[in-house]
Amino acid sequence: MLSLTIVVPVLAAIVLLAMPKDRPQMARWVAFGVSLVPLTLIVVAWTRFEGGPEFEMVESLSWIPSIGVSYQVGLDGLSLPLVALTTVLFSASILFPVDLRGRARQYFAAFLFLEGVSLGLFLALDLILFFVFFDLSLVGMYFLIAIWGHGSAHRSALKFFIYTLVGSLALLLGILGIYLNSGEPRTFDMIEIITTQPLPAAGLGSVLIFWAIAFGFMIKTPLAPFHTWLPPAHVDAPAPASTILAGVLLKMGTYGFVRILLQMMPETFDRFSFPIAVLAVVSIVYGALVAMAQTNLKRLVAYTSVNHMGYVILGVAVAANIGAPGAARSIALTGATIEMVAHGLITGAMFLLTGSILARGETYEMDEYGGLASRAPALTGAMLLAAFASLGLPGLAGFVAEFQIFAGTLGVYPWLAGIGLLGIVITAALFLRMVQRVFLGPLPDRWSAWTDLGKWELAALVPMLALVVVIGIAPAWLVDVIDSASRAITGG
Amino acid sequence: MSLIAAILFWFFSAAAVVTGWLVFRTDSMVRAAYWLMASFVAVGGILMVLDAQFLGLILILMMAGEMTIMAIFMVMFMMNPAGLNPMTMVHQHRTSIVSGAGAFAVLAIVALFADFPDRPVQPGADPTVDLGVELLGESMLVFESAGVALLAVMIGAVALVSFRGRFGEAEEGSEEPALETDEQ
Amino acid sequence: MSLEAVLFVSAALFGIGVYGALSQQSFVMIMMGLELMLNATILAAVAFWWGTTNGNPEGQLLAIVVMAVMAIEAAIGFALVTNVYRVRKADITEKLRKLRN
Amino acid sequence: MLRWSPSSATILPELILAVGAIVVLMVALFTPRRLQPWMAALAAAVLLSAAVFAGLDLIDPPGLTFFDTLAADGVGRWATLLLAVVALLVVGLSVEWFRPDARHAEYYVILIFATLGAVLLAGANDLMELVLAMMLSSVAGYTLAAFHRRSRGSSEAGMKYFLLGALANGAMVYGVALLFGLSGSTTFTDVGPGLEGADPLALVVGFGLVVVGVAFKMGVAPVHPWVPDVAEGAPAPAAAFLMIFGKIGALVFLARFVLILPDTQLGWRPLVALVAAVTMTLGNLAALRQDDVRRLLGWSAVSQAGYGLLAIVAIGRSDLAIPSLLMFLVAYSFGTIAVFGVVVALRGLTDRISYRGLAGPHPWLMGAMLIGFLSFIGIPPLGGFAAKLLLMGAVIDAGYTWLAVLTVINSVVSLVYYFRVLGPAYQEKPGGRRPTMGRLAGASVAFAAIGVIAVGVVAQPLLQAWNTLDL
Amino acid sequence: MVWLPILFPLAGAVAVLAMRRRRPWLGPIAVIALLGSLVSAVLAAFSDATSTWSWGAGIDLSLEVADAGRVMVVLVPLVAVAVVLYAALSMRDDPALPRLFALLAGFVAAMELLVVAADFLTLLIAWELVGAASWALISHDWRNLKAPTSAKEAFVTTRFGDLGLYIAAGAAFAATGSFAYSDLASGADPLWLGVVAGGVVLAAAAKSAQLPFSPWLFSAMAGPTPVSALLHSATMVAAGAYALIRLQPILSAVPWFGPLVVGLGLATALAGGLVAFAQTDLKRALAGSTSAQYGLMLVATGAGFTAAGMSQLTAHAFFKALLFLGAGVALHSAGTLDLGKLRLGSTMPRIAVLFGIGAAGLAAVPPLGAAFSKEAVLGAAFDAGFWVGSGVLVAGFLSALYASRLHVLAYGPGPPVELKSRPHRVEVFALAVLAALTVVLSVIWLPGSKELITEVSSGSFAEGEPWELGLSLLTIAMALGVVWLLWRRKVLVTAGFPQRFRIFVAGWWGIPTAARRVIIDPVIRLSRDLASADFSVVDAVVRGIAASAAGFGDRLRRRVETAVDWIAMGVGSRTLLTATVSQKIDDDGVDAAVEGIAEGFRFGGEQSQRTQTGMSHHYYTMLVAGSVVVLIVAAIWR
């Protein structure tokens, strides 16, 4: 069943490409319909999910047994929410109207391809399979940015590709390192590696492997100072691609931190949890500060992603500290995972909204706008909701995550938690500034014909924002699922 | 024997090196070709001194023939009266000297300081017979390969140079296809 | 007359050949340099046959193989020189500069 | 001890190639001009039967033949099979390309000879056989490069290829003489033991000079300059072949060769590692600015040769070395055929700018190019990824982690120039269709592209077969 | 049960939004919702209701009406009803009325949640929601950029304080593994308890506008009057003091907790009193007085007598709401809040009387309840120490001083004023309700009420001395005398201060300026610098690596191929390269870097034809040189 979520979109992408005529509406509906398949399947999987410490619904096929590679997918409390997030974001993004540049089939095919690949990454339980999807996601995203982007899309897309390829290849080296150390016979099987923990806690080899993988994921996540590919890629990408980039692709890095580093080499991670936590806090504060100075709306949102990913990694680093109390580690990891989901929904929605603004105003410069609230209450309301969620207002998803992260961190790294908290104040300031600059104040004459969100935009946005609220108010259904994994991972 | 051999060896050696050097010190290609031939003949001499009479002989014969061809070729080819006109056609002279000296130095060091096994040729053996046995015995594949290689080079050389072929002008249409075709 | 001496002479011939191959502009002259190098190789091969291999006939064969190499290279070399001269009116290396970065 | 293999089937592919070449030549002599292109079919039949028999040989137990001068082992047979398939695909690319040529049956003859040369090189178990296989493949190679007898570029490419090759081969032959002198034999079976305790200085020089020759064949630094020139100047189908066949032959030979060398006196492993590092870096960096696609492919071939050497570095130390070597060769061959095939199919279109917006009108061709390039970069699940995975695993296993890191860095660099071609092709507004070369070339491209994907995705049968191979 | 006081206003908010097109219904709906909240709050207060809401993974949000919460849970909707009643009429022409009502109702709901919170997580949730609601309410008039700007300042300031609660919650979790008050009370590591205390004090100080956060109340003035009235009396600002009162039993285990809170409160009471005295803007003066009054509550709480604090909070809620509504009427009628231009007593005598009751409460004139609570605070302060008591005495003097000054200047007798509009009957009624509540609160002077309060709020009173009351009365008399003197000299408006000093004091002792100079401007500058550094340094490193790879590649290739010309090439190309790279580095991306290098080399190529290659003899040189290198390496590196 899980394999279907991967295969169906990818096959559909190929079929779409082979379709003879370019009929945008039909292509959109086909793509949307196909994207509902994984969504439905994941909902079913959620209802069947038991929440034990083991991986569930594992499907396994021998692929290249000669070198220990297999096709193996499965779920646990960590991947299930991310997979669900992926399906929601893709369905919404496909629905979101965008300038197709006369290449509708290719656009939707790229989206479906990327969906299958992203789902595959979160479901993969084999390191090579994981890497395959990791790299293919780069290719898919490259084309989405390069072909349907704007501004200097060529350069941004290439920069994105090159920079994250550096990360992915570092990851590959690390994966090879794990493989070569995985005992006899060698294997890429993640379940087996997690169970047997073949890597020695000490030793130069483990340290090198750890940092190679960590470097790879730090680029992908991204943590400062490896984030500079992110703003141009976001700014020049079409809005739905930005949503996917922020909502899904960045999570691959943070997911990898947990799945590979935390689960496969916990003792080595323990040695370096403090430096990683420091980097995370630097990202939090740095991302927020730099975002505050932006005049470009989308760039601003992009930098807040750096900030939010800092929270995630902070939570992961706390969970990696073996000496800390189990409850703190577990709550931090749960918080980090919720933050992944929350950030995906919130920032995803926010990027879609920037797309709506660009489509109407043709610029991201915030100073060009003002007073839009009077013409576009729905747009304003949606952005306001997203902004408040992003700055961590209780009752919305972001708070649930950030609170748990800080609650876990404070007992383990009190000073880092204290510094990191400053990020919350700065994000509050910067989002309010943004809202004020774009939506409040007097309306310039040139925008007097501004239109509010259309029905398709709303159709894409409302489910995402509704989830933000639901998670914010009643997160138990999500927290319990994640907690099952967190406890298993941290032993808390 | 050994004294005479030694004298002959040093004589041929000196001749081989000096004539070899003269190949590149002369003004005309034809003369250069003859100096080269002289160098080969000298080496053939050395081979004979080293009990490899057969090899020495075929080297001299083959090279004499080849060098004549080369000389004629140049006369024909360069449209240069007898290839005798004075000329200097040298580039990157210093680099070449350094490179040549370097190559010599490396090999000379190997020659003088390397420790080769001392397993001289048995006095009683007939090297030519051995060669024949080897050629048609254990190293047959080498022999055959040489044949194939020579066949290939003949075919290749003919294909490249012949003016006329079975179908008139041999070079007709032998170039990159046009990027645009008439259909377009 | 020792192995060292023969190899030394061979090294000298090889060095001269390298010098010639590098210093000459004309293709034909370059080929002469190459032939000289092969000449040195024949000498070395026979020297080893004579001095270090219990008279293994493979040494003699090696010399013959090198002669074959000489012939092959000369043949294909002349063919190419002719061809280049016909197409490009080029007889020295400096005239072949179409293909470069 | 004479070990003449009674079964001539062992060398049947070689025999078929040698005899087949002559047959093609003879038939062509008596065939009217308008039927000349059918010589391609004949050559294809020869290559196909060679491939079939090489494939059938795969099940034979490994051994040596012709008094130990030729190895008939699994790796050699796989190399033979691969070479025959590559030549077959090149024939497919060549038919339309050479159709206007008044006399091109010789092209196929030489192509078969070149294949034979590389096959013999891959199987060479004797220093003299090495020299002659090298000569055969080189001579055929020069001819192929210069085959456009009215083309300025082609003749220049052939000439330069020859000049460099002659010098490199001259050096190699001297090295062979030195090794013979040290070991007292030319057959590897005896060279190995003979070199035990040999003088290290002479050994180094001898080995180094042999490596110069092998490096020339592969297009490895410092004997690489012919590669971009030939890639640009030679007839495009021939260029594709020339990029590939030397690598197959020489890499397999080198793997066989280094294994007989004594580890104690000779640091061949670091030497090969250094050459690999320099080669891949040089090739990649030089390719960065190329605006000529064929030349770019040439430089990329240089860097790929560097990757291929990783397998040699690891050989004998990692059980991944031989599978990685073969996987690299297969992936590289198909990838090269695919991208060069696209150039051929577009009638030799080589200006980077001309590729702008081609993805629209030529989705399949550009798709093949995309697959080929992505495979070269090492994007999974393509063959190039499988190759790089195994190669890097092998060198890390062999203790050369820095080389794997360098490979990674180079892969990133390579992305830049591949996407300087691909980017505009996909991003720019679709342009008009360009004239193409016909179905057969397209079919070869398709076959190669599918091959690139297949070896990555369906790697298991191959790896299973290769895991047990020995040299 | 415990949910109802929260859900009623929430439902009201939803209903208001749903029926936003039927404007006449809006007011009644809002009032009914708040009345529902009030009634259910009373019931909840008597039933000591508790409830929990699970977040999963063992994290529960627990709600409980307990201790001071029993009073507070009733107080909030009580004040809110009056305020909403006023708003329904005074803002009846505002097109955004539905939004205002919805937000006010939400504001109340959030505050009720805060009151019934029984753990730090719930407290934090409510705490932040209150802040966010206040942001939305303050920026009610968003078309004028001033309002959202002020709202942002207010929100960011208080959010900084919120960090204290984050820290407190985290520390509680670290200490006990849960967020509940009760777990913390049942014993925790003193170190962590200290962190909790520090966090709570920080949060409370920011919310209750204590030093140094006080100035945010000025920003909050940008909101409409009903918002200010509610914000100052029973919701936002009250949250800080309430949280301290609620948590005092737990936190008093920390030895420095009491002195810190007392000191903070006293300092704010004195400084704020002077601010209120020096201000010439009616609402701002009231804002200053709010800080001062909450300072007094903190003194009582810090001294350990939470009942005193709670009664002060209650009394203050009524009269401060009343005063703000009075100020609103003034603004509405006279169109200004400038104390120099009001004196509406002759024109609107009824309002003047009502406002006077509020001012009397502010001045703590007996027998009003406010005076009782003031006395309780004084008693608590003297219990804490003589100097504290003296300080509170001075603060009481200041209260009387500014209260009387404000009344005289705002609603004192004066020349008839041309009114823009007259207050509506219901508006006056709302004021009257609050005035009545202020007066009715006098019943707490009755014997037995102390015991009742003690029992209900689980707090305590200090044993007051009779002379304390006398002293208070004396200070009030003195204050009245001073005001009369100043009035006579016609300098009451400027309070007799020199102009620059007055402005300095009225602007909260220069704290806003200092904050801008020391915190805001540097942070913004830092953020700009970082943003430019992000491109010119961090990214430049990346681009530099790319550029040098490209440049290195070119150099390497060319140098190897033209081995002969190494030196000449090297010198030339390096200068060129440096120049081009530094010039091009500001251009974007890898491609540009590549192009830049290419350009440099084209130029270099023009300079020296020798760099051109493609010639076989160069290849030869390379081969020989390379082979020699290979041999040397092989000979050395085993």
Side-chain angles (χ1 to χ4, degrees), chain A residues 46-353:
Chain A
W46 195 299
T47 58
R48 290 197 198 158
F49 184 72
E50 288 163 15
E54 306 283 325
F55 287 95
E56 296 180 28
M57 295 170 232
V58 175
E59 291 164 24
S60 188
L61 263 179
S62 134
W63 181 12
I64 314 178
S66 296
I67 51 169
V69 177
S70 61
Y71 170 87
Q72 184 162 264
V73 293
L75 276 176
D76 71 348
L78 174 66
S79 50
L80 182 56
L82 291 175
V83 170
L85 168 76
T86 306
T87 56
V88 170
L89 287 185
F90 268 99
S91 294
S93 304
I94 287 173
L95 217 49
F96 195 82
V98 71
D99 175 14
L100 294 170
R101 312 268 162 96
R103 299 190 217 179
R105 282 177 300 135
Q106 292 90 331
Y107 175 81
F108 292 112
F111 254 96
L112 288 177
F113 172 76
L114 201 53
E115 170 162 21
V117 162
S118 308
L119 290 172
L121 182 124
F122 293 126
L123 291 172
L125 288 179
D126 180 278
L127 285 171
I128 287 298
L129 194 64
F130 178 89
F131 184 78
V132 167
F133 290 128
F134 195 89
D135 257 16
L136 286 180
S137 72
L138 302 187
V139 179
M141 186 47 79
Y142 167 81
F143 281 111
L144 273 178
I145 298 176
I147 301 182
W148 292 278
H150 32 74
S152 51
H154 305 52
R155 279 181 184 168
S156 303
L158 196 59
K159 188 170 185 179
F160 157 78
F161 201 170
I162 292 172
Y163 210 145
T164 45
L165 187 73
V166 171
S168 89
L169 289 171
L171 167 67
L172 180 61
L173 284 180
I175 287 178
L176 274 171
I178 293 180
Y179 170 70
L180 294 173
N181 283 302
S182 64
E184 274 311 317
R186 293 164 176 167
T187 182
F188 286 107
D189 185 335
M190 286 161 81
I191 300 179
E192 196 179 324
I193 294 171
I194 289 170
T195 321
T196 56
Q197 299 280 331
L199 287 154
L204 185 64
S206 296
V207 171
L208 286 178
I209 292 169
F210 176 85
W211 280 109
I213 298 178
F215 176 66
F217 287 140
M218 281 194 280
I219 288 177
K220 183 86 180 180
T221 302
L223 281 191
F226 305 112
H227 62 279
T228 52
W229 60 269
L230 186 73
H234 270 312
V235 169
D236 294 336
S242 279
T243 298
I244 298 305
L245 179 57
V248 179
L249 264 66
L250 300 194
K251 304 305 171 299
M252 296 177 178
T254 51
Y255 171 77
F257 258 101
V258 181
R259 181 65 86 222
I260 296 183
L261 291 180
L262 188 54
Q263 286 198 272
M264 295 185 188
M265 36 200 331
E267 279 151 341
T268 318
F269 201 162
D270 178 44
R271 291 173 64 191
F272 299 112
S273 61
F274 183 71
I276 296 279
V278 169
L279 271 177
V281 169
V282 167
S283 287
I284 292 174
V285 176
Y286 183 87
L289 278 176
V290 175
M292 192 157 74
Q294 300 303 321
T295 57
N296 179 311
L297 175 60
K298 211 170 182 187
R299 236 184 147 76
L300 179 146
V301 182
Y303 275 108
T304 62
S305 282
V306 177
N307 162 277
H308 283 103
M309 291 299 103
Y311 296 137
V312 178
I313 300 300
L314 182 59
V316 175
V318 169
N321 187 327
I322 293 176
R329 295 173 62 203
S330 168
I331 197 174
L333 186 56
T334 306
T337 313
I338 300 174
E339 177 78 46
M340 294 185 213
V341 177
H343 173 261
L345 292 168
I346 296 165
T347 310
M350 220 181 254
F351 275 125
L352 288 185
L353 288 166

Side-chain angles (χ1 to χ4, degrees), chain E residues 459-544:
Chain E
S460 64
F461 285 102
E463 291 295 321
E465 306 284 340
W467 51 267
E468 289 170 6
L469 180 61
L471 272 177
S472 300
L473 289 173
L474 195 62
T475 54
I476 292 170
M478 277 170 61
L480 291 172
V482 170
V483 168
W484 185 76
L485 256 169
L486 291 170
W487 169 250
R488 284 287 303 275
R489 292 194 187 167
K490 306 209 182 297
V491 291
L492 188 57
V493 174
T494 59
F497 290 149
Q499 182 67 1
R500 286 184 61 188
F501 179 68
R502 191 193 63 75
I503 290 174
F504 172 71
V505 172
W508 260 110
W509 306 86
I511 292 176
T513 320
R516 192 170 309 118
R517 294 234 178 101
V518 178
I519 300 172
I520 302 171
D521 284 351
V523 167
I524 288 182
R525 208 174 315 126
L526 176 67
S527 108
R528 296 223 170 101
D529 290 351
L530 284 180
S532 59
D534 194 56
F535 185 74
S536 61
V537 180
V538 181
D539 198 38
V541 172
V542 178
R543 277 175 285 140

Side-chain angles (χ1 to χ4, degrees), chain A residues 152 155 158-159 162-163 225 227-229 231 286 289-290 292-294 299 303 327-328 331 371 373-374 384 388 391-395 399-400 402-404 406-408 410-411 414 421-422 424-425 427-429 432-433 435-436 439-442 472-476 479-480 483 487, chain E residues 53-59 61 120-121 124-126 128-129 132 135 139 142-145 148-149 151-152 155-156 159-160 163 165-174 177 179 192 195 523-524 526-531 533-535 538-539 542-543 587-592 595:
Chain A
S152 51
R155 279 181 184 168
L158 196 59
K159 188 170 185 179
I162 292 172
Y163 210 145
H227 62 279
T228 52
W229 60 269
Y286 183 87
L289 278 176
V290 175
M292 192 157 74
Q294 300 303 321
R299 236 184 147 76
Y303 275 108
I331 197 174
S374 58
L384 210 53
F388 271 110
L391 63 82
L393 190 73
F399 174 80
V400 180
E402 282 160 32
F403 177 78
Q404 297 199 35
F406 281 116
L410 203 93
L421 277 171
L422 290 177
I424 289 187
V425 181
T427 42
L432 294 184
R433 263 162 72 111
V435 167
Q436 183 181 324
F439 297 101
L440 307 183
I473 292 172
V479 172
D480 280 331
D483 191 57
R487 274 179 209 286
Chain E
W53 174 252
S54 171
W55 257 23
I59 304 170
L61 276 59
F120 284 101
L121 173 56
L124 176 57
I125 290 175
E128 292 239 81
L129 286 175
W135 174 82
S139 39
W142 53 263
R143 281 184 178 79
N144 180 355
L145 265 183
T149 309
K152 182 185 70 191
F155 184 69
V156 172
R159 191 151 214 236
F160 182 79
L163 301 190
L165 269 193
Y166 272 97
I167 291 171
F173 184 78
F179 301 107
W192 283 123
V195 175
V523 167
I524 288 182
L526 176 67
S527 108
R528 296 223 170 101
D529 290 351
L530 284 180
D534 194 56
F535 185 74
V538 181
D539 198 38
V542 178
R543 277 175 285 140
D587 211 329
D588 195 13
V590 176
D591 223 28
E595 283 156 19

